[in-house]
Amino acid sequence: MSELEAKKMPDQTSVLEVARKDDGKFVEPLQLGKRLKEIRLANNLTLEEASRLTGLARSTLSKIENEQISPTFQAVQKLTAGLGIDIPQLFVPPQDGPTANGRRDITRNEAGTPHPTTTYEHELLCTQMRDKKMVPFKCTVRARSFDDFEDWVRHEGEEFMLVLSGVVEVYTEFYEPVKLSEGDSIYYDARMGHCLVSVSKADAVVLWVTSR
């Protein structure tokens, strides 16, 4: 029966009959299949994984993506719920390739925006660019003990940290402390409590990149 879900039945309304462009023309089936595949690949999902999320058979998804069948409105509802998108997102014309927006920002050495705290001395990088998806900053680690922190540091997003010089000890809420030396890096969920201290003779310097 799963194969029939995506076929147009007499008592079912095809999604192509309810989704129209602004000019009143029907959305081309080719655009829908290509768009569905684009969304699936953008989320790094295989057909099997998308099938589990949406409840539609793998073969059904494959046929929709290859324009062999047109999905019903019911099937589209399963797709949007399973993939975590809105129905209008399915009808955005697929991209032929990555589109550059021409944005760029440069920070010269030691020319970042200073933001000192009691435990870290941050240098914010590339601050001229608005609405960035990542926040990069260099940090001199002043803290020398876990007790220097009043509480765990935690915030939204994910975080990447690369040790530029010195040695740090990274404390995380769910793991044992770990020492990282120059050239070592770590990536973690920033909602998890975390902090780091310098354990080298001189203050360690790290590069941090935090996602929005």
Side-chain angles (χ1 to χ4, degrees):
M1 186 61 186
S2 58
E3 290 290 332
L4 297 177
E5 283 182 314
K7 293 183 180 178
K8 182 181 174 183
M9 304 297 289
D11 59 344
Q12 294 176 311
T13 303
S14 168
V15 68
L16 299 179
E17 295 173 2
V18 296
R20 296 171 179 267
K21 292 182 179 176
D22 291 339
D23 59 5
K25 295 180 182 178
F26 290 117
V27 175
E28 292 295 327
L30 178 63
Q31 294 296 305
L32 179 60
K34 289 176 72 174
R35 179 60 177 153
L36 175 59
K37 186 173 183 178
E38 183 181 77
I39 291 171
R40 177 175 64 79
L41 294 178
N43 285 281
N44 296 315
L45 295 173
T46 64
L47 280 170
E48 288 79 7
E49 290 169 333
S51 174
R52 287 196 296 272
L53 289 172
T54 62
L56 295 173
R58 179 192 183 282
S59 56
T60 299
L61 292 172
S62 178
K63 288 178 181 179
I64 293 173
E65 288 187 359
N66 290 292
E67 309 302 334
Q68 296 174 1
I69 58 176
S70 297
T72 64
F73 191 69
Q74 246 184 353
V76 167
Q77 286 180 312
K78 290 185 177 182
L79 286 169
T80 55
L83 298 176
I85 60 174
D86 297 322
I87 287 180
Q89 288 179 260
L90 274 177
F91 298 95
V92 175
Q95 300 287 337
D96 292 327
T99 302
N101 60 21
R103 300 204 307 165
R104 193 185 79 166
D105 194 357
I106 294 173
T107 301
R108 298 295 182 184
N109 186 36
E110 298 184 357
T113 303
H115 182 72
T117 71
T118 56
T119 50
Y120 304 132
E121 188 171 323
H122 298 305
E123 181 188 352
L124 306 181
L125 308 174
C126 299
T127 56
Q128 299 303 309
M129 186 178 290
R130 302 291 183 182
D131 300 321
K132 297 191 294 291
K133 294 182 179 179
M134 299 179 291
V135 179
F137 53 100
K138 249 191 327 189
C139 174
T140 300
V141 184
R142 303 294 191 198
R144 292 289 172 164
S145 165
F146 181 77
D147 295 331
D148 290 343
F149 297 85
E150 294 182 2
D151 197 359
W152 289 110
V153 177
R154 63 176 88 241
H155 48 84
E156 290 298 318
E158 296 181 330
E159 203 155 60
F160 169 80
M161 189 268 288
L162 170 69
V163 181
L164 299 178
S165 65
V167 182
V168 297
E169 189 160 27
V170 182
Y171 292 85
T172 48
E173 193 172 7
F174 306 126
Y175 298 89
E176 290 296 318
V178 60
K179 287 184 181 179
L180 299 178
S181 302
E182 182 177 335
D184 293 340
S185 60
I186 184 172
Y187 189 106
Y188 52 88
D189 181 351
R191 294 170 299 182
M192 171 178 64
H194 60 278
C195 63
L196 66 151
V197 301
S198 178
V199 293
S200 50
K201 185 175 294 187
D203 292 337
V205 179
V206 304
L207 171 68
W208 251 316
V209 181
T210 304
S211 68
R212 289 285 190 183

